[in-house]
Amino acid sequence: MSEIRFVKADKLKDKPADMSKVKFGTVFTDYMFEMEYDEKNGWHDARITPYKDLAVSPANATLHYGQAVFEGMKAYRYNDGKQAAIFRPMTHLERMENSCKILDIPEFPLETVHEGLKKLIDIEKDWIPDGPGQSLYIRPVIFATDPYLGVSVSSMYTMLIILSPVAAYYANGFAPVKIMVEDKYVRAVRGGLGEAKTPANYAASLHAGMVAHEKGYDQTLWLDGVERKYIEEVGSMNILFKIDGKIVTPMLDGSILNGVTRRTVLAIAKEWGYETEERRISVDELKQYYESGKLEEVFGSGTAAVISPVSTLGYKGHDMTISGGKIGEFAQKMYDEIDGLHTGKVKDTYGFIEIVGEY
Ligand SMILES: *Cc1c(COP(=O)(O)O)cnc(C)c1O
């Protein structure tokens, strides 16, 4: 594919004066990456253009049938603010290719998009906020654009990468959450779309999330859609447990999203000498560990929060208090380690960091 064009903006925006007051996903930078697909030209016209609204046909296939995938990753000020870095960009782009396969979206040229992403972050590096826990959220998305109401795999697509500066996820310090085992609604089923990062899974989760909120919980703990027994994910994060000294997480069985943070946590835990297990774990088994005092910690993992410690697990009307209602020691240590890798305070011996610009 030809090289990536750059279309300069007439005027640049003002950056937020106080990043700590910016609500997640509400502020966007000056530029975005853009590329289209059609059957004649394949993926073409990769470019960095001014961020702008799009015009779509009212018959747009995504609006009606939801053929779309997305990603979420972050860029950080690295090495005392001397460099701009992205955390595991290729791992995220490869997962996006996998999501494309599941949704029958034509595979995009990985190298061109990787180049485009690096170039975009370098151009926009002044938008990466530099306060503790702050970052530049990177949202790639691919969506069908056929102006056609027939139900079929689309023949036209648009890919965008947009950027949004985000405040620290834990504005009031690293805080534990209350989660509720959901035994009525399911997020995804084996054979469905659970392993793809696609809007449908989010649409399927919204109502149950609202019900959990009404009952006083922060997140939904999802069980498998077939037997309604096995633990899958929490909210839109993966879930991990510390049980009798071991780090245990549900195995990827087709309905669980293969989280980059999950993989990061497992790699670091192994490096630290912990035994890790990826296996099916039922909510009743978990309850037994709780009753015998072996359930030491519960935490979610995802790009937005990094680590989300769980203090309360509600199941069939009863609450289990985890780690004495406090932040678990392992969760805290893991959060500090990954946060350190993001900024360069912890040396990256894993190859997770990609430097994309110098200040
Ligand atoms: C994005 C996502 C995660 C977390 O993945 P990361 O790569 O760690 O950000 C987990 N579960 C679901 C359903 C997701 O969409």
Side-chain angles (χ1 to χ4, degrees), residues 92 95 187 197 202 233 236-238 257 259-261 302-303:
H92 282 280
R95 182 173 66 188
R187 184 195 81 95
K197 217 168 171 71
Y202 283 72
E233 301 201 50
S236 51
M237 287 184 284
N238 293 112
L257 204 274
V260 176
T261 317
T303 294

Side-chain angles (χ1 to χ4, degrees), residues 91-108:
T91 313
H92 282 280
L93 292 178
E94 282 162 6
R95 182 173 66 188
M96 194 173 198
E97 289 270 50
N98 191 52
S99 297
C100 284
K101 280 193 194 118
I102 296 170
L103 272 290
D104 262 337
I105 294 171
E107 273 178 56
F108 56 86

Side-chain angles (χ1 to χ4, degrees), residues 18-28 164-167:
D18 182 357
M19 255 324 289
S20 70
K21 296 210 166 61
V22 172
K23 195 169 172 288
F24 177 85
T26 55
V27 174
F28 300 96
S164 177
V166 293

Side-chain angles (χ1 to χ4, degrees), residues 70-73 92 95 137 187 194 196-198 201-202 222 233-239 255-264 301-304 306:
F70 67 96
E71 263 306 319
M73 59 182 126
H92 282 280
R95 182 173 66 188
Y137 186 75
R187 184 195 81 95
K197 217 168 171 71
T198 185
N201 293 330
Y202 283 72
W222 301 106
E233 301 201 50
V234 59
S236 51
M237 287 184 284
N238 293 112
I239 186 145
S255 55
I256 293 175
L257 204 274
N258 185 358
V260 176
T261 317
R262 175 188 182 276
R263 283 181 257 179
T264 302
S301 74
T303 294
V306 184

